[in-house]
């Protein structure tokens, strides 16, 4: 069986193993090869990926899961003793942090370069996007007219005074968005935007993206800033779909387009099995695993040529993505946090 190792204690990084799935009852995968994946993701799509790779190769995949920042600290603490072969984390900002700590080994792969667009991978092959998500506006159709919305600028419009919900400024999704807006507009306009959005809050930031959507549905606010897949997840869930029945997604296509971010993977610098790690990442961008991301997690495949079956994503429609280099999301994140702090965005 494959063991999923979960980090439980921040201070000492103690680990506990829990059973993930049954195999042949022997407690092993039938192979003496083992791949260790450090991941900040905890989605069904990823577990399906691990299982598919095991079935394809006979390799025993084990994972250590933790918050992205804790994962980086664990890798730094372990140093050359790290058992990690593959690092997977959410958001280009966190990939950049891991890169700055020297945690990735360069990877050269024609398979990966052909499958993943240049905008969704590191130019030196330190990491490759696996799945992408768009930062969108969700609004109440009975309280907001679609023509009142344009781009992200709409959230700063005085017409939405006391009507906006968003996550905290410390959230990496918001930090990366503002980092992109700094690149798009320059720091002065980005500062004005952050200050004006904070002044338009219906309430102090509270909870995650799903909480912002539910707040719009409950009438606590009229428009919210969220990642698209949280909305699609509710659309696809029979017990929750009523929550979004009176809501709609607006794509902020104005200007450079919609802010798109990635979850990505790279080979760990001290990987015990670097060739096996490369094989895993190449497998992760093949058709079946890429469909897992769309069909099980409501994300978009980073391998953009892959077709998938997801009625919610189809209903959300198409959008124009901002062509920004995702490296800018990391390079500008410290300045983005400073602007948030000055704006009084909690």
């Amino acid at each position: 069986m494959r063991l999923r190792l979960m980090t439980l204690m921040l201070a000492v990084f103690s680990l506990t193993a829990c059973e993930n799935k049954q195999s042949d009852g022997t407690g092993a995968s039938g192979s003496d090869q083992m791949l260790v994946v450090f991941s900040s993701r905890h989605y069904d799509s990823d577990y399906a990926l691990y299982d598919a790779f095991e079935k394809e190769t006979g390799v025993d995949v084990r994972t250590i899961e933790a918050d992205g920042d804790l994962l980086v600290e664990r890798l730094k603490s372990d140093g050359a003793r790290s058992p990690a072969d593959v690092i997977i984390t959410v958001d280009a900002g966190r990939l950049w942090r891991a890169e700055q700590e020297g945690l990735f080994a360069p990877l050269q792969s024609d398979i990966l370069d052909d499958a993943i667009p240049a905008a969704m991978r590191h130019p030196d092959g330190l990491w490759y996007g696996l799945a992408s998500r768009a930062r969108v506006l969700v609004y109440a159709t009975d309280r907001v007219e679609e023509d009142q919305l344009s781009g992200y600028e709409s959230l700063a419009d005085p017409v939405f005074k006391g009507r906006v919900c968003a996550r905290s400024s410390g959230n990496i999704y918001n930090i990366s968005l503002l980092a992109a807006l700094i690149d798009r507009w320059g720091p002065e306009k980005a500062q004005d935007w952050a200050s004006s959005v904070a002044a338009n809050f219906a309430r102090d930031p509270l909870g995650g993206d799903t909480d912002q959507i539910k707040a719009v549905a409950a009438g606590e606010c009229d428009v919210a800033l969220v990642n698209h897949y949280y909305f699609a997840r509710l659309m696809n869930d029979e017990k929750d779909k009523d929550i979004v029945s009176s809501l709609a997604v607006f794509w902020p296509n104005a200007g450079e387009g919609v802010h798109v971010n990635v979850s990505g993977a790279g080979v760990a610098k001290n990987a015990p099995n670097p060739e096996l790690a490369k094989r895993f990442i190449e497998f992760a961008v093949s058709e079946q695993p890429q469909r897992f991301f769309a069909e099980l997690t409501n994300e978009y495949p980073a391998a953009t040529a892959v077709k998938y079956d997801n009625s919610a994503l189809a209903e959300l429609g198409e959008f124009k993505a901002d062509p920004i280099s995702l490296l800018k999301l990391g390079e500008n994140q410290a300045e983005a946090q400073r602007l948030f702090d000055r704006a009084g965005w909690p």
Side-chain angles (χ1 to χ4, degrees):
M1 66 189 69
R2 172 161 62 82
L3 300 181
R4 180 170 302 124
L5 305 179
M6 306 289 291
T7 50
L8 291 185
M9 296 177 61
L10 173 61
V12 297
F13 300 115
S14 65
L15 302 177
T16 185
C18 62
E19 187 172 315
N20 178 59
K21 68 179 183 65
Q22 298 294 324
S23 60
D24 58 4
T26 66
S29 67
S31 169
D32 58 2
Q33 286 187 298
M34 183 176 72
L35 180 79
V36 177
V37 178
F38 274 43
S39 177
S40 65
R41 289 173 57 94
H42 48 83
Y43 302 128
D44 290 345
S45 56
D46 300 60
Y47 304 143
L49 164 62
Y50 306 146
D51 290 343
F53 185 72
E54 285 186 338
K55 291 175 183 176
E56 175 80 12
T57 64
V59 171
D60 183 18
V61 178
R62 303 191 182 190
T63 66
I64 292 175
E65 298 176 350
D67 170 80
D69 294 329
L70 176 56
L71 209 65
V72 168
E73 291 305 313
R74 168 67 194 267
L75 288 157
K76 288 168 56 181
S77 175
D78 285 350
R81 299 175 291 106
S82 174
D85 294 306
V86 175
I87 303 169
I88 299 176
T89 193
V90 175
D91 196 281
R94 285 202 175 107
L95 288 164
W96 182 84
R97 292 178 188 176
E99 172 198 338
Q100 293 301 297
E101 296 292 347
L103 300 180
F104 291 120
L107 176 58
Q108 292 185 337
S109 168
D110 290 341
I111 292 173
L112 291 168
D113 289 346
D114 289 344
I116 305 302
M120 292 189 183
R121 52 183 163 89
H122 191 278
D124 298 325
L126 295 181
W127 53 261
Y128 286 81
L130 299 182
S132 66
R133 64 276 303 278
R135 203 83 177 132
V136 302
L137 308 184
V138 167
Y139 66 97
T141 55
D142 61 342
R143 302 190 298 275
V144 177
E145 298 292 335
E146 185 174 359
D147 61 10
Q148 291 180 281
L149 302 172
S150 55
Y152 297 105
E153 299 94 325
S154 301
L155 297 177
D157 192 319
V159 74
F160 289 112
K161 180 77 172 178
R163 303 170 66 188
V164 174
C165 281
R167 289 173 83 147
S168 72
S169 63
N171 174 255
I172 191 65
Y173 303 153
N174 284 340
I175 292 172
S176 289
L177 171 61
L178 188 54
L181 297 181
I182 290 170
D183 184 74
R184 181 186 300 188
W185 295 334
E188 184 175 346
K189 183 177 178 180
Q191 176 72 82
D192 289 343
W193 177 84
S195 299
S196 297
V197 175
N200 281 349
F201 283 158
R203 55 165 172 73
D204 283 345
L206 178 68
D209 280 12
T210 300
D211 297 300
Q212 314 313 315
I213 296 169
K214 291 181 176 179
V216 177
E220 295 178 40
C221 47
D222 295 337
V223 62
L225 179 64
V226 304
N227 279 349
H228 83 276
Y229 63 90
Y230 291 99
F231 193 87
R233 183 186 301 166
L234 296 173
M235 291 174 68
N236 277 327
D237 193 323
E238 285 299 323
K239 72 177 186 301
D240 288 332
K241 63 192 311 181
D242 286 347
I243 294 172
V244 297
S245 61
S246 61
L247 309 181
V249 163
F250 181 83
W251 296 103
N253 284 318
E256 294 300 314
V258 179
H259 171 67
V260 173
N261 212 319
V262 296
S263 289
V267 176
K269 179 181 179 180
N270 298 301
N273 304 291
E275 287 303 314
L276 190 57
K278 175 182 176 180
R279 184 179 179 187
F280 172 82
I281 298 172
E282 289 177 341
F283 179 80
V285 305
S286 63
E287 182 176 2
Q288 183 192 36
Q290 286 290 289
R291 290 189 62 170
F292 290 152
F293 292 116
E295 294 171 4
L296 298 179
T297 317
N298 301 293
E299 297 171 285
Y300 294 106
T304 52
V306 170
K307 305 300 181 184
Y308 53 84
D309 183 13
N310 185 313
S311 59
L313 294 183
E315 187 176 336
L316 290 182
E318 298 182 354
F319 61 92
K320 180 181 74 171
D322 185 350
I324 184 177
S325 166
L326 295 183
L327 296 183
K328 292 292 184 181
L329 307 188
E331 293 168 3
N332 290 343
Q333 67 178 258
E335 184 169 15
Q337 189 64 72
R338 285 194 295 270
L339 298 192
F340 273 137
D341 293 342
R342 292 176 193 151
W345 185 315

